[in-house]
Each structure stands twice: as C-alpha cells, then as structure tokens.
Amino acid sequence: MAEDLVRFENVVYRRGRKTIFDGLSLRIKKGQTVAILGPSGSGKTTLLKLIGGQLRPEKGSVIVNGKDVAALSREELFELRRDMGMLFQSGALFTDLTVFENVAFPLNVHTDLSADLIRDLVLIKLQAVGLRGASTLYPSELSGGMLRRVALARAMALDPGLIMYDEPFTGLDPIAMGVIVELIRRVAEVYKTTGIIVSHDIEETANISDYIYIISDGRVIGEGERGFLREDQSPRIRQFMDGLPDGPVPFHYPATDYAEEMLTENQKVGWFNFD
Amino acid sequence: MLTLIRGLGRFSLEVFQTLGRAGRLWWMSIVRRPRLSNLPLIIRQVYQLGVLSVVITVLSGFSIGAVLALQGYDQLVQYGTESALGLGVALVLVLEIGPVVSALLFAGRAGSAVTAEIGLMKATEQLTSMEMMGVDPMQRILAPRLWGGFIALPLLALMFSVVGIWGSAVIGVEWLGVHEGTFWSTMQDGVDFVRQVMKGVIKSVVFGLVVTWIAVFQGYDAIPTSEGISSATTKTVVYSSVSVLVLDFFLTLMMFDY
Amino acid sequence: MQMRTIEIVVGAFMLAGMVSLGILATRVSGYSLDSESNYYVVYANFENVGGLAPRAKVSVAGVEVGQVVSINYDKDRYDARIKMIINADVDNISTDSTASILTEGLLGGKYIGISIGAEDEYLIDEGEFSDTQSAIVLEELIGQFLLDKF
C-alpha cells in the first residue's frame, strides 16, 4: 500500500460567515491521479490552496508529505512548494515574459544550473507539450489551450512530486481538451507524478483518474475507484452525475416560504418609502 | 444617528486595517529581507518607472520654467528688479515645483501603471502561481518596484528643476533680455546648496517613497476584477497626489528654519 | 528589450540625475567644496549688530572673503559676539583692523566690512578684532538728524 502524500483530517474552513469545508477528510496516495469533483462553489480551488498552504484551516489539519502545512514557517512552506506544481485555470503565465522565460522561471529561481542546461531542460518540457516552436512568443499571442499547455510545462519544470490541476478542462474546445487530457495522462504515466484534478467535468476527469472524491456542502459525499460513479445509487451522487436541476442539492437558495412571502404586507425595504 | 456613528466606526476601522496592510506589505518586501540578487529586477523597474518618465518630466519642466520666467518678469519689471528673475525662478523650482510637480507627474504616469500591472497580475493569478512556485511575490514583484520608484523619482525631480531653470534662462535671457551675468549671479548668491537644494531633494525622496508605496499597495490590494483594478488605479492617482501636496506642506513646515 | 540595453539606459538615467544635482550645486547655488574647508575663525564684539544675520558676507574692499557663522549675546560684556570665518588665503588682516557692520544700498542686507589697519602682525585662527564699529540704525540716524535740525 502506497503512503499518503496529502491527507485532510476533519478540516473546517470558513470564509466570512460561509462555511466552505465542514469536517472534510480525504487522503491522496503517492503516485495516483485523484479527481476531486463537485458542483461549482463547493470550494475545490480552496482545497488546492489549503494544500499549498496559501490558506490555513480553522480546525483540523492538512498534512502534506508528513508535515502539517499550517505549522510550517514561511520559509519551510516555500521549500515545500518547490515540490508542487500547479496548473491554474487561467494558466497564470507571467505576461511580461516569453513562453521560454516562463518555463525557465522556476528553474532560474530554484536551481543553480547553467544557462545552457536550463535551455535544454526548458526545450525538453516545451517539446513534451508540443510548443517548442512557440518559445519566443508572449502569452498574449497564444490561444487558451496553448496557454494551459505552457502552464503545464512550467508546472513540470522542476519535476515536482505533486501536480495540482485547477479546472484544467474548462473553456476549451474539444481538440484542445483532448490534448490536455492526453498530457495529464502522460505526465502521470511517465513521471509517476501524483496528480490532483479539481473539476466539474465528470467524463474527462473520471477517465484519467485512479480514485475519485465527490465533495458537496463542505464534505465528501462519495468516493471510490474509477467505476464507482456509475454504480453508486445515493441520490446526491446521482443528481450530480445525471445533471438533475433539483434534488438533495437544492435548486433554490435557502429562503422563507414562497407563498408566505408573497402574501405578507409589503415591508419597508430601503431608506425611503414612497407611498 | 446610531447608523451615522456606526458608519464612522466602520470607516475608521477600514482605514486602520488598510494602513496596517500597507505597513505589513512594506515590512515584508523592503525591510525584512533586502536582497542583492534583486538588483537586475530593480534596474528593470528604474527603467520602467524612471527612464520612461523622462520625456514628460523634461517637457513639463521646460514649460513650467518658461512660464515662470514670463510671469515673473512681468511682475518684477514693474519694480525694476528683473535681475532677480533667475533667483526667484530657481528658488521656486528647486524648493517646491520641482519635487511636487514631478511627483504628481510620476503618480499619473508611473504610479498608475504600477497599480494596473500588479492588479492585473493578481487578477490573472500570476501572483498566486508565483507563490505556489515557492517564490515570494513580495520579494520578486513588489520590492523591485518600491525600490525602483524610490530611486527614480528624486532623479526625475532634479532633472525637472534643472530643465526648468534652463527653460527660464532661455526665455529670460535670450528672449526678454535680462542680463545673463546678473541672471546667474543673483541666483548663485541667493540659492544655498544645503538650505535649499538639499531640502528639495529630501522632499522628492519622501515623495518617491510615498507615491510608489501607494501605487504598489493599491495594486496588491486591488479587488481582482476589471472594476477593481480601474478603481485601484484611480485611487493611486488621487491618494498619491493628495498625499504629495499635504506632505509638501508638512515637510516645508518641518524644514522651515528662519 | 535586452537586459544589456536596459542597464545602459538606466546607467545614463542615473548619470543624468547626478549631473542635474551637480548643476544645481555648482551653477545654481554656487556651491564649492574647498571654500568650506579652508578657512580660519575670528571673533568680533559689537555694541549693536542691527539686522546682521548668520551667513552674511564678510568683505574687504567690497570683495567677499568670508561669512558670519553665528551671532550670540555676550553676557559678560553686554554686547553681541560674532563668530565669522575668513578664507585661508586671506591671511594678512592686521590685528588693528576695524570690523564694521555696513548696509548694502539703502535698504539692502547688513554685512561686515573690514578696513585693514597698519600693524605688521596678522590675525590668526581664533583671533579677535579689537576695533569694531556697530551697525548704523536708520531710526537713530533719522532721530539724530531731526534733533540737529531743530
């Protein structure tokens, strides 16, 4: 049994008055590609930020590589992050640097390698995502799909043990989506990298994951190996899988009784009352 | 009434929180860990903020110097004291207009650009991704800009004053016919390096610090949407212009030693 | 743009800033370093300094040779004690010279004029004028003039 790379233990996290996670527990094994699915607004990006230590849980602990992230100092945290790559939804490439410089950035900052060696490493990564030819272009000259591929090359630059993908398939055309799916699969196979994919695109994500978590309302509502989604009959999971508008995840934002509110006297709403 | 007091309370709490965040930003990026390896980044910022502002600074400096010469001459000639033109223009430029106007120009040209750039970096998750790469954006993005602006503005202010004095000499001596020797000698007699030129330099150093600080902070603190960035950019220009003018008064008061 | 080019341009920018400071120092304020370092100090006591201010010029034959550093009240002698500095190359001011407080033009600023005496001994650092002439106060002068007339 492989050991856990990331472990969430009863994590509680609130933003303002809104509870994002309410006793979330999950474990991600080394070398696996794990999907975390959930409706939008269920705090998937927050989950990645908790792993990266950009946010700290209110209760419970996030343990990465055996260390409690919240207990690390800023320096130790930066040290830890060197072994993490993250693919942002928008790519988040540095707009004032070329594609080449973007991929070279982590190498330049974190290693003492010679310029020649860095050049070779960058070209290898760019070749892997098929954009070696675009190395002198600026991010503004690339399409959304290409941006994400460059961002992937950059996330892989230091050959991290863990790569996190934040909504990697959103807003891509089918071809670009196919390319990204293939790249993520290949990264996991070739480099034996642990992957965490946060997404609401069920089909694509489920196909390339070894293990799947579904979160909703701040906790895990279902988990299992790749095939479990189709068999599981719990209503919450069925609603999510089959895309039903109403169900355990309600269509309506919590409100008072409809009929009752319609019948009550019109109350003073703002500062002025014009009647 | 209670709403009013509550509003005041919330407002002051917000002001204090903002000041606290701004102070923390300054502490984290400048004071805590100054790094020599940032030098190339600082040089790039001196280029972005300083060199690219030279043209508007020099142009404005020349125009203001020329206008001061024209208006000053108009008044002085009535008392037959147009020989004091050089002195008057030099004092006004070196002590007040040089540091203040170049700081206002700097806020409009470089400050707003810094805010927009950092705000956009935040909105497009560039700052977050940098953090996730184990690189501190405070050190990498904010500190070089703070240093760059801090270095660039005093130099721009000096250029502004010199070009302004040159502009006034061109108008006063070449055109209006003030005697060249008198123009320069009354100036040299009345302007003291330590008591006047250095005061101007001190002012522009303070302005450089404050304006870039406001610009960097507004960018870093911006709400990462297009409205957020545009309002942050406006705030940079407004806040830094007002702070420059208010600080100018207090600095003058503090250094007033007659 | 290439880093090299940026470095050169920034270097030129810094240089331009320094040169501006240099111009402000020399051309605009007439500041020169050596005049500050090569001087000697002399003192003079005056009954009345009128409107004399620190940094006022000290001149011989109308040529500036130094400046007033400070003006203090001398408690023992009930008069004003002036400290001034004189350029080191003007080293032959005889000990019996007179220091007077004069006015530039009718309404101009006050300055110290030195009329050289006949003695062979010269004033040295920390020396003192024995003969001084106080400022002419315009109000007193007018008062005197009116009294004489009537």
Side-chain angles (χ1 to χ4, degrees):
Chain A
M1 191 96 181
E3 58 174 310
D4 295 339
L5 185 64
V6 178
R7 207 162 68 232
F8 276 59
E9 284 169 359
N10 281 315
V11 169
V12 176
Y13 182 80
R14 267 182 268 259
R15 188 184 295 132
R17 248 176 292 171
K18 195 177 173 223
T19 305
I20 311 269
F21 295 129
D22 186 14
L24 182 80
S25 296
L26 51 80
R27 34 186 28 190
I28 287 155
K29 292 194 186 77
K30 209 165 233 175
Q32 281 198 330
T33 301
V34 175
I36 294 170
L37 302 173
S40 36
S42 57
K44 301 182 298 279
T45 308
T46 310
L47 187 128
L48 296 185
K49 287 188 171 170
L50 283 166
I51 297 175
Q54 284 176 308
L55 301 174
R56 292 179 182 209
E58 205 170 289
K59 276 194 210 120
S61 48
V62 178
I63 292 163
V64 179
N65 230 347
K67 293 181 198 116
D68 186 348
V69 175
L72 296 179
S73 72
R74 208 172 156 84
E75 280 73 23
E76 289 170 322
L77 200 57
F78 280 169
E79 191 63 42
L80 180 73
R81 286 180 189 161
R82 281 174 209 189
D83 200 36
M84 293 181 188
M86 181 150 171
L87 182 68
F88 285 83
Q89 197 172 341
S90 61
L93 296 175
F94 304 131
T95 40
D96 55 339
L97 301 180
T98 62
V99 166
F100 180 93
E101 290 166 332
N102 260 291
V103 181
F105 183 84
L107 294 165
N108 278 325
V109 185
H110 288 313
T111 66
D112 294 323
L113 301 176
S114 71
D116 282 342
L117 198 53
I118 288 183
R119 182 177 165 274
D120 292 347
L121 285 172
V122 171
L123 291 180
I124 290 170
K125 302 293 177 197
L126 282 175
Q127 175 73 14
V129 297
L131 289 172
R132 191 165 47 83
S135 65
T136 56
L137 298 180
Y138 280 90
S140 55
E141 298 168 285
L142 301 178
S143 72
M146 288 200 277
L147 285 177
R148 231 165 272 185
R149 279 148 73 186
V150 176
L152 182 59
R154 187 179 66 177
M156 291 172 7
L158 288 167
D159 292 320
L162 170 67
I163 296 190
M164 294 181 272
Y165 306 92
D166 188 1
E167 300 283 4
F169 312 117
T170 311
L172 294 182
D173 61 80
I175 299 173
M177 174 127 55
V179 171
I180 296 285
V181 168
E182 189 49 39
L183 282 173
I184 294 176
R185 193 204 303 275
R186 215 190 293 164
V187 168
E189 267 170 27
V190 177
Y191 297 94
K192 303 277 174 262
T193 312
T194 311
I196 302 177
I197 306 174
V198 148
S199 179
H200 53 247
D201 292 287
I202 304 156
E203 282 304 316
E204 293 74 18
T205 316
N207 281 337
I208 50 173
S209 310
D210 301 311
Y211 201 83
I212 296 162
Y213 283 98
I214 296 180
I215 55 174
S216 179
D217 285 342
R219 36 174 91 236
V220 174
I221 56 165
E223 62 179 292
E225 307 272 325
R226 201 181 291 180
F228 99 100
L229 284 173
R230 242 156 277 136
E231 286 109 50
D232 198 297
Q233 287 308 319
S234 86
R236 278 175 168 273
I237 291 173
R238 288 267 52 91
Q239 185 196 1
F240 184 61
M241 287 301 297
D242 303 337
L244 303 173
D246 209 356
V249 179
F251 170 72
H252 290 289
Y253 195 84
T256 52
D257 186 69
Y258 186 39
E260 197 181 303
E261 185 162 347
M262 291 303 278
L263 288 172
T264 48
E265 199 81 6
N266 187 16
Q267 281 174 359
K268 191 176 157 187
V269 181
W271 289 81
F272 306 103
N273 216 354
F274 295 103
D275 48 28
Chain B
M1 190 59 200
L2 211 61
T3 356
L4 204 73
I5 294 173
R6 190 180 154 202
L8 184 70
R10 179 163 37 184
F11 174 76
S12 15
L13 280 179
E14 266 168 25
V15 168
F16 282 123
Q17 275 176 3
T18 310
L19 285 177
R21 285 202 304 275
R24 184 171 170 274
L25 174 144
W26 197 67
W27 176 259
M28 297 289 274
S29 49
I30 293 281
V31 185
R32 213 172 59 117
R33 229 178 350 164
R35 278 203 201 153
L36 211 64
S37 61
N38 272 348
L39 198 62
L41 296 170
I42 295 175
I43 291 176
R44 193 174 274 270
Q45 288 310 316
V46 173
Y47 175 79
Q48 290 283 340
L49 306 177
V51 176
L52 296 183
S53 310
V54 165
V55 175
I56 60 159
T57 306
V58 164
L59 217 64
S60 321
F62 187 89
S63 321
I64 287 187
V67 167
L68 285 176
L70 284 169
Q71 299 284 19
Y73 182 84
D74 198 31
Q75 297 302 313
L76 291 172
V77 81
Q78 294 178 31
Y79 307 99
T81 48
E82 68 270 20
S83 59
L85 183 65
L87 173 64
V89 170
L91 280 182
V92 166
L93 274 172
V94 165
L95 275 173
E96 291 298 334
I97 296 190
V100 170
V101 175
S102 55
L104 296 181
L105 289 171
F106 186 79
R109 153 79 189 60
S112 59
V114 163
T115 305
E117 190 188 15
I118 296 178
L120 210 62
M121 281 183 157
K122 189 179 180 186
T124 53
E125 293 181 304
Q126 292 182 46
L127 296 182
T128 322
S129 78
M130 195 172 267
E131 240 174 66
M132 286 302 295
M133 274 184 242
V135 179
D136 188 350
M138 299 255 186
Q139 296 291 327
R140 186 85 191 177
I141 302 290
L142 307 192
R145 282 165 177 75
L146 287 169
W147 278 114
F150 181 61
I151 295 169
L153 182 55
L155 296 175
L156 288 170
L158 287 169
M159 290 178 206
F160 185 99
S161 298
V162 166
V163 174
I165 290 170
W166 174 57
S168 72
V170 167
I171 296 292
V173 175
E174 307 290 327
W175 191 19
L176 298 171
V178 176
H179 183 255
E180 194 180 350
T182 336
F183 183 88
W184 291 109
S185 65
T186 47
M187 190 191 293
Q188 289 179 5
D189 233 28
V191 180
D192 183 71
F193 184 69
V194 177
R195 281 166 26 124
Q196 274 128 15
V197 177
M198 285 318 283
K199 270 185 198 169
V201 172
I202 291 172
K203 278 186 180 178
S204 62
V205 167
V206 175
F207 295 161
L209 185 81
V210 171
V211 172
T212 38
W213 189 3
I214 291 177
V216 167
F217 174 70
Q218 287 299 342
Y220 192 68
D221 208 45
I223 300 157
T225 59
S226 20
E227 298 86 42
I229 294 169
S230 93
S231 101
T233 314
T234 314
K235 275 186 199 162
T236 292
V237 176
V238 173
Y239 291 174
S240 39
S241 305
V242 173
S243 340
V244 163
L245 295 172
V246 172
L247 271 174
D248 182 49
F249 170 69
F250 284 109
L251 285 172
T252 310
L253 204 66
M254 273 165 61
M255 297 192 288
F256 198 80
D257 61 0
Y258 290 91
Chain C
M1 204 191 296
Q2 280 296 303
M3 198 58 205
R4 211 178 96 85
T5 329
I6 289 181
E7 277 171 358
I8 293 169
V9 177
V10 168
F13 171 75
M14 305 283 278
L15 201 68
M18 306 290 176
V19 169
S20 303
L21 187 65
I23 293 174
L24 287 181
T26 55
R27 179 100 186 154
V28 176
S29 69
Y31 183 79
S32 57
L33 285 171
D34 53 324
S35 73
E36 292 283 316
S37 51
N38 290 319
Y39 57 78
Y40 61 100
V41 179
V42 288
Y43 295 93
N45 280 49
F46 291 91
E47 254 173 52
N48 190 337
V49 288
L52 192 74
R55 278 176 42 80
K57 71 175 181 180
V58 175
S59 70
V60 178
V63 180
E64 182 172 345
V65 297
Q67 58 174 264
V68 173
V69 178
S70 62
I71 302 170
N72 293 304
Y73 177 60
D74 191 332
K75 212 170 128 191
D76 303 326
R77 291 160 67 171
Y78 302 104
D79 58 9
R81 186 166 178 79
I82 289 178
K83 181 184 179 183
M84 59 189 121
I85 53 173
I86 293 174
N87 291 348
D89 45 335
V90 186
D91 55 0
N92 56 350
I93 298 174
S94 46
T95 47
D96 62 341
S97 300
T98 310
S100 353
I101 295 177
L102 306 170
T103 309
E104 252 174 355
L106 191 58
L107 297 169
K110 295 274 196 293
Y111 69 102
I112 292 182
I114 298 171
S115 21
I116 304 294
E119 204 65 63
D120 283 340
E121 259 179 77
Y122 302 129
L123 279 176
I124 49 159
D125 197 28
E126 300 287 319
E128 191 168 342
F129 284 100
S130 47
D131 191 13
T132 60
Q133 207 165 37
S134 287
I136 297 165
V137 179
L138 201 60
E139 296 93 306
E140 284 178 12
L141 203 68
I142 294 170
Q144 210 108 57
F145 175 73
L146 290 174
L147 281 179
D148 285 354
K149 197 104 186 198
F150 305 104

